[in-house]
Amino acid sequence: MTRKLLRHIIKAYPYYFFGPIVLTLLMAAVEGAGLGLLLPLIDGLTSPDQIIPSHPISQYLAQLMAVFNIPFSLPSVFILGISLFLTQAILEYVHAVFSARIIAKVQADIRTTLF
């Protein structure tokens, strides 16, 4: 029963089925980046003039910020953290909308089929 329903959802609504999966992966990446920013923020509280990225995620973010000529300092890391938090909130909202739409469409489809 579950496999048949899952096959029907994938076949009938591939965009609505794979959309939440992609959004979940994006949310996990943004959350990982946010967690990678915690270490530099904690290190920056002890010495705010110089932050040294010690974790591989923090090092990657420092390199990414260097590409855009953004200094790896406490204010810029703090602003980046806030922007990652807002991005994650937006992705969670879009994920909830996608999930609600697929549930509503599948329920309507099942009701139509049963009728």
Side-chain angles (χ1 to χ4, degrees):
M1 173 85 177
T2 305
R3 287 185 187 178
K4 187 176 180 181
L5 182 62
L6 189 60
R7 265 189 258 126
H8 172 72
I9 293 170
I10 293 172
K11 190 181 290 185
Y13 311 107
Y15 177 71
Y16 287 115
F17 180 76
F18 291 111
I21 293 172
V22 170
L23 285 171
T24 302
L25 293 174
L26 284 173
M27 286 188 316
V30 169
E31 186 172 348
L35 289 175
L37 281 178
L38 281 179
L39 292 173
L41 281 175
I42 293 171
D43 291 339
L45 293 176
T46 58
S47 61
D49 55 338
Q50 182 183 10
I51 301 176
I52 300 170
S54 57
H55 194 271
I57 295 175
S58 301
Q59 292 171 355
Y60 176 74
L61 289 172
Q63 292 171 355
L64 185 65
M65 289 173 75
V67 168
F68 294 109
N69 292 329
I70 301 171
F72 197 69
S73 62
L74 188 60
S76 61
V77 170
F78 185 71
I79 290 171
L80 182 63
I82 289 173
S83 63
L84 286 174
F85 174 74
L86 291 175
T87 302
Q88 185 175 3
I90 291 168
L91 287 174
E92 286 178 9
Y93 173 75
V94 173
H95 182 269
V97 169
F98 262 69
S99 297
R101 281 189 180 179
I102 192 169
I103 289 169
K105 286 193 177 287
V106 169
Q107 285 177 345
D109 202 18
I110 290 173
R111 287 178 184 148
T112 304
T113 302
L114 286 174
F115 184 70

